[in-house]
């Protein structure tokens, strides 16, 4: 499975299914493998940042640089596990863990106020000032927290 020129065996497919908690069917895994091989133009068994950025939908995503950090050096099995958070069969826990990793900018296992501001900065770019971003986020956060526990 490390060599992208080879075909997946039934064992490989089942191993990938187990690794991603069966969020993809066997046919979906075969399709994902074909797409992985298309993206892996170097044939090294990994998809580089440039290869990921060749996907237009990924390249224009404001969080693409953040996602690239998560994708760096993934082989096919890890690639499928990464994508499993987007599957309709993924559990809420899997989706939350994925989102947490996106927001945990410094990879310290915590999402701090600064991490949230980093994500907002990525999403809003130069459209709002840093002060507007901080004040707006703080007020929104306080109101959500207050109404959630009131």
């Amino acid at each position: 499975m490390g060599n992208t020129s080879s075909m997946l065996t039934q064992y490989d497919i089942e191993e990938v299914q187990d690794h991603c908690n069966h969020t993809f069917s066997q046919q979906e895994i075969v399709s994902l493998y074909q797409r992985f091989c298309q993206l892996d133009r170097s044939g090294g068994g990994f998809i580089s940042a440039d290869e990921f950025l060749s996907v237009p939908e990924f390249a224009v995503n404001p969080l693409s640089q953040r996602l690239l950090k998560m994708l760096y050096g993934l082989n096919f099995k890890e690639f499928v596990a990464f994508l499993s958070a987007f599957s309709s069969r993924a559990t809420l826990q899997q989706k939350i863990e994925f989102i947490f990793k996106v927001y945990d900018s410094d990879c310290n296992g915590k999402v701090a106020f600064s991490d949230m501001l980093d994500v907002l900065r990525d999403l809003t770019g130069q459209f709002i000032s840093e002060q507007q971003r901080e004040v707006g986020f703080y007020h929104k956060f306080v109101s959500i927290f207050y109404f959630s526990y009131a």
Side-chain angles (χ1 to χ4, degrees), residues 99-145:
I99 291 169
F100 183 87
K101 289 176 187 175
V102 170
Y103 277 76
D104 184 14
S105 303
D106 51 11
C107 301
N108 68 352
K110 300 174 185 174
V111 176
F113 185 73
S114 61
D115 294 324
M116 299 296 285
L117 286 176
D118 287 343
V119 171
L120 281 175
R121 192 174 297 110
D122 290 346
L123 292 173
T124 60
Q126 301 301 317
F127 295 111
I128 63 174
S129 72
E130 196 67 25
Q131 184 179 11
Q132 289 172 312
R133 192 177 293 119
E134 287 181 26
V135 170
F137 177 73
Y138 177 77
H139 288 296
K140 182 60 86 175
F141 180 76
V142 169
S143 66
I144 289 171
F145 183 77

Side-chain angles (χ1 to χ4, degrees), residues 10-130:
Q10 184 64 32
Y11 175 80
D12 291 333
I13 294 169
E14 290 171 4
E15 182 181 350
V16 171
Q17 277 189 305
D18 288 342
H19 186 70
C20 69
N21 298 316
H22 295 270
T23 52
F24 294 111
S25 70
Q26 291 189 4
Q27 184 55 45
E28 289 170 324
I29 289 173
V30 170
S31 295
L32 287 170
Y33 184 73
Q34 291 168 346
R35 183 64 175 140
F36 182 86
C37 291
Q38 289 171 348
L39 290 171
D40 181 20
R41 292 186 302 269
S42 68
F46 302 91
I47 302 174
S48 70
D50 289 338
E51 290 166 334
F52 271 115
L53 291 172
S54 72
V55 177
E57 297 83 0
F58 188 80
V60 299
N61 186 321
L63 298 176
S64 63
Q65 293 304 311
R66 189 173 294 277
L67 295 172
L68 276 175
K69 290 179 188 175
M70 296 170 65
L71 289 165
Y72 183 76
L74 297 185
N75 63 24
F76 174 66
K77 187 165 62 169
E78 294 161 339
F79 172 74
V80 173
F82 173 84
L83 293 176
S84 67
F86 298 99
S87 169
S88 62
R89 292 183 214 101
T91 65
L92 180 59
Q93 182 68 27
Q94 289 170 301
K95 291 176 186 283
I96 290 170
E97 287 172 8
F98 178 83
I99 291 169
F100 183 87
K101 289 176 187 175
V102 170
Y103 277 76
D104 184 14
S105 303
D106 51 11
C107 301
N108 68 352
K110 300 174 185 174
V111 176
F113 185 73
S114 61
D115 294 324
M116 299 296 285
L117 286 176
D118 287 343
V119 171
L120 281 175
R121 192 174 297 110
D122 290 346
L123 292 173
T124 60
Q126 301 301 317
F127 295 111
I128 63 174
S129 72
E130 196 67 25

